[in-house]
């Protein structure tokens, strides 16, 4: 079954209730190295120390609450940095307690889909995936999620426009783990709770964004996500 065949199976009203009535703060998990372009880019390095083999299970990063922003956010470029890597993907919003479920039932645990942007400072490949410094991947404003839609069908691609110009297409058929398999395999490792978000990961050729840029991310059937980038000086002048 193709990724585009998947649709959220939880009734929207139930997903909303379960996402709002909860006893813990939602967590955001990002799947790393989940696009086949990373296998092509890293090649033999994936079999080098310290791991000596490509990952056989999902590789997860956690975004702290302070890093999260929403629609029309203004991202502040850290001092001394010329730009940020813009990794776009699709977020799965979990609707109910999820633990050790098969892929065939996974989409009954997803209440909504949304577009998301995972920002980070440019790193070389070894720094990027072997214990990167937290400020380089999880600074304030480095995780942006758009409005969620509960009756969405999983799209085929995500398009990124920077200052009105198409700069990148993320082909979701190239995900190593599509939505159902991702939820199932992550649920074998840990519990997911109502309101948690699972971001499916970006491509290795993600574009750079700079101060003054306006970003618009689009995918068929999902609300678009827009935000802008400004420097610290721009913020102080404002």
């Amino acid at each position: 079954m193709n990724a585009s065949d998947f649709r959220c199976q939880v009734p929207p009203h139930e997903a909303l209730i379960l996402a709002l009535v909860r006893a813990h703060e939602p967590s955001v998990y990002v799947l790393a190295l989940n696009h086949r372009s990373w296998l092509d880019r890293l090649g033999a390095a994936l079999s080098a120390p310290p791991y000596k083999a490509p990952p056989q299970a999902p590789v997860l990063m956690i975004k702290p609450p302070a890093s999260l922003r929403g629609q029309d956010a203004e991202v502040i470029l850290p001092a001394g940095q010329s730009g940020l890597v813009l990794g776009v993907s699709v977020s799965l919003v979990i609707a109910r307690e999820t633990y050790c479920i098969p892929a065939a039932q996974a989409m009954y645990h997803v209440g909504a889909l949304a577009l998301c942007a995972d920002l980070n400072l440019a790193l070389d490949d070894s720094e990027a995936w072997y214990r990167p410094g937290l400020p380089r991947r999880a600074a304030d404003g480095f995780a942006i999620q758009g409005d969620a839609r509960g009756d969405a069908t999983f799209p085929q691609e995500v398009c990124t426009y920077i200052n009105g110009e198409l700069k990148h297409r993320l082909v979701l058929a190239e995900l190593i783990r599509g939505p159902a398999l991702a939820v199932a395999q992550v649920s074998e490792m840990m519990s997911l709770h109502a309101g948690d978000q699972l971001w499916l990961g970006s491509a290795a050729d993600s574009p750079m964004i700079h101060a003054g840029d306006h970003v618009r991310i689009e995918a068929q059937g999902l609300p678009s996500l827009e935000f802008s980038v400004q420097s610290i000086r721009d913020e102080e002048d404002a």
Side-chain angles (χ1 to χ4, degrees):
M1 182 179 289
N2 295 325
S4 58
D5 295 329
F6 288 104
R7 179 184 292 271
C8 300
Q9 300 295 331
V10 176
H13 66 280
E14 181 183 346
L16 178 62
I17 292 171
L18 290 173
L20 292 177
V21 182
R22 44 184 302 103
H24 82 290
E25 188 170 14
S27 298
V28 175
Y29 303 99
V30 182
L31 280 173
L33 304 176
N34 192 42
H35 194 270
R36 297 191 186 281
S37 58
W38 283 109
L39 301 183
D40 296 335
R41 173 168 166 174
L42 296 177
L46 290 171
S47 299
Y51 300 118
K52 300 182 179 180
Q56 302 301 305
V59 178
L60 291 176
M61 299 183 292
I62 300 177
K63 290 290 188 179
S67 70
L68 300 179
R69 298 293 185 272
Q71 184 71 263
D72 298 321
E74 292 184 347
V75 177
I76 306 303
L77 186 65
Q81 301 296 325
S82 60
L84 297 169
V85 179
L86 168 59
V88 305
S89 193
V90 175
S91 169
L92 311 179
V93 183
I94 302 301
R96 55 166 64 103
E97 297 298 301
T98 302
Y99 179 67
C100 285
I101 59 166
Q105 298 177 13
M107 298 310 286
Y108 289 95
H109 292 253
V110 176
L113 306 178
L115 294 174
C116 54
D118 178 16
L119 309 181
N120 60 84
L121 299 176
L123 304 168
D124 65 35
D125 290 336
S126 61
E127 290 181 308
W129 302 115
Y130 298 118
R131 299 182 178 89
L134 187 65
R136 305 187 73 87
R137 284 199 167 274
D140 290 1
F142 274 23
I144 307 172
Q145 178 166 297
D147 297 330
R149 181 172 177 181
D151 60 348
T153 298
F154 197 76
Q156 295 183 2
E157 64 177 11
V158 178
C159 297
T160 300
Y161 297 84
I162 301 176
N163 301 324
E165 183 178 351
L166 178 62
K167 291 293 188 179
H168 186 265
R169 291 182 184 270
L170 175 70
V171 179
L172 293 168
E174 292 299 313
L175 291 173
I176 296 171
R177 295 170 181 86
L181 184 59
V183 172
Q185 290 192 350
V186 170
S187 78
E188 292 176 357
M189 302 163 52
M190 56 185 285
S191 295
L192 296 169
H193 306 284
D196 286 348
Q197 302 161 27
L198 181 61
W199 295 12
L200 293 177
S202 57
D205 62 345
S206 297
M208 295 287 296
I209 52 177
H210 307 86
D213 284 347
H214 180 269
V215 177
R216 181 179 177 87
I217 303 168
E218 297 181 348
Q220 186 175 5
L222 295 179
S224 62
L225 171 59
E226 296 190 52
F227 63 93
S228 59
V229 185
Q230 60 177 295
S231 65
I232 290 179
R233 176 170 295 181
D234 291 337
E235 185 186 44
E236 292 173 346
D237 292 343

